[in-house]
Amino acid sequence: LRSNELTLGAWEIKSRGESAHILACDQVLERLSEHWLVRETIGMLRRTFARLEVSSRSLFAIVDQDSCFAGTLLELVLAADRSYMLHLPNGNAQAPHIELSPMNFGPYPTAQGTTRLHARFYGEVERLAAVQSALGKPIDAEQAFALGLVTLTPDDLDWRDEIRLAFEERASLSPDALTGMEANLRFNGENMATRIFGRLSAWQNWIFIRPNAVGEHGALKIFGTGKKAQFNRDRI
C-alpha cells in the first residue's frame, strides 16, 4: 500500500474474529517467549507495528461489531492516530469489546523504545496503573473512553456519519502537514529514531519547503486570499 498506492492517505484498520483466540495466542507467545521461533515471531510483529507507524499515512482504527482487537491486535488500535469504538446500549450482546494482555506491556516497543501505552499517556503513572488494572477484563466503549484507550465512542445513530466526517476532514488537509503532525504525536520520546521519523528537525523544516505549503497554490502562499489550496495528494 505504501509503495504502490501513494494517493491513499488514510488507512482504515479493522479486525474480524474471536478475541478469545487472539488472547490464547498471546498466552502461547508469553509462555514460550524464549523459544527461538516464538522469539522471532514476536520480533516480526514488533517490526511490523513499528513500520506501520512510520508509513506516513493517517491511521484510523475502527472497533465495531465482530472486532477482535485484543492483546497483540490491540496494538493496532494503540498505534492509530484515531480510534473509533461503537457504543451500544448496556446489555447489547453485539457491543464490541477490547481487551488487554501482558503482550501490551513490553514485547512490542515503539521506535522510541517505550510501549504504546506509555507513549499514549506520556508516562503518567496513575493513568497507566488504571489501564493495567483492567488487564484480562473485557472493556466496553464507555470504559475504554474513560481509560483513554480510544478517541471517540459514537452510538449506532451517529456511527456512520462520524466515520464519514473523519475521513472527509482528513482529506481536506495537506498530506505533508498531516505527515508531520502525525509523526510528532506518535514519537514523543527523543532518540535517533525519533529525530529521523518525528520532531521538528526531520518533519517541520521539510514540510515548510514543500510545494503544498509554499508552492504557487500552496497553503502558506495563498493564506488570507480566500482561495483554496491545491494539494498534491501523494504521500511519501
Side-chain angles (χ1 to χ4, degrees):
L1 279 174
R2 181 180 184 182
S3 301
N4 299 329
E5 303 291 346
L6 298 181
T7 59
L8 294 183
W11 293 351
E12 186 180 49
I13 301 174
K14 291 185 174 182
S15 65
R16 288 291 180 268
E18 296 289 339
S19 294
H21 296 166
I22 308 301
L23 295 171
C25 288
D26 277 9
Q27 290 178 356
V28 173
L29 293 176
E30 183 186 15
R31 187 174 71 252
L32 302 177
S33 60
E34 296 303 315
H35 187 279
W36 72 268
L37 179 58
V38 175
R39 186 171 62 248
E40 290 298 316
T41 301
I42 293 173
M44 180 64 74
L45 286 164
R46 173 182 55 78
R47 291 189 292 274
T48 300
F49 294 140
R51 290 191 66 181
L52 183 67
E53 289 171 320
V54 300
S55 292
S56 64
R57 300 297 190 277
S58 297
L59 306 176
F60 287 2
I62 309 298
V63 187
D64 55 6
Q65 294 160 319
D66 300 321
S67 289
C68 58
F69 287 115
T72 291
L73 288 191
L74 184 60
E75 292 292 301
L76 294 170
V77 175
L78 300 176
D81 301 301
R82 292 187 191 178
S83 48
Y84 291 83
M85 186 170 181
L86 178 62
H87 182 228
L88 295 177
N90 292 335
N92 191 313
Q94 294 185 319
H97 292 80
I98 60 175
E99 191 165 340
L100 295 154
S101 85
M103 299 301 289
N104 299 119
F105 295 90
Y108 307 123
T110 61
Q112 67 265 36
T114 65
T115 66
R116 286 172 183 81
L117 287 170
H118 188 280
R120 173 176 290 257
F121 298 117
Y122 292 86
E124 294 183 39
V125 176
E126 291 183 358
R127 298 193 70 182
L128 285 168
V131 170
Q132 195 154 13
S133 68
L135 180 65
K137 303 174 184 176
I139 302 171
D140 63 20
E142 187 174 2
Q143 295 167 326
F145 184 76
L147 288 170
L149 295 174
V150 295
T151 309
L152 287 174
T153 56
D155 60 24
D156 52 345
L157 293 177
D158 297 328
W159 179 253
R160 291 183 182 276
D161 284 337
E162 288 284 358
I163 303 301
R164 175 182 58 81
L165 289 171
F167 278 97
E168 290 178 357
E169 175 193 48
R170 217 59 161 192
S172 69
L173 300 175
S174 165
D176 292 338
L178 286 171
T179 294
M181 178 189 72
E182 291 156 0
N184 282 330
L185 291 174
R186 290 173 193 170
F187 306 114
N188 52 35
E190 191 63 52
N191 58 24
M192 187 55 68
T194 63
R195 293 187 186 103
I196 295 171
F197 293 113
R199 297 295 185 184
L200 303 178
S201 59
W203 289 114
Q204 290 195 6
N205 292 335
W206 175 74
I207 290 166
F208 288 148
I209 63 171
R210 298 269 289 182
N212 280 343
V214 295
E216 184 178 354
H217 302 289
L220 296 180
K221 192 77 170 181
I222 65 172
F223 180 76
T225 66
K227 297 179 180 179
K228 188 175 182 180
Q230 297 180 22
F231 299 128
N232 177 355
R233 296 294 172 185
D234 287 359
R235 289 277 198 125
I236 60 167

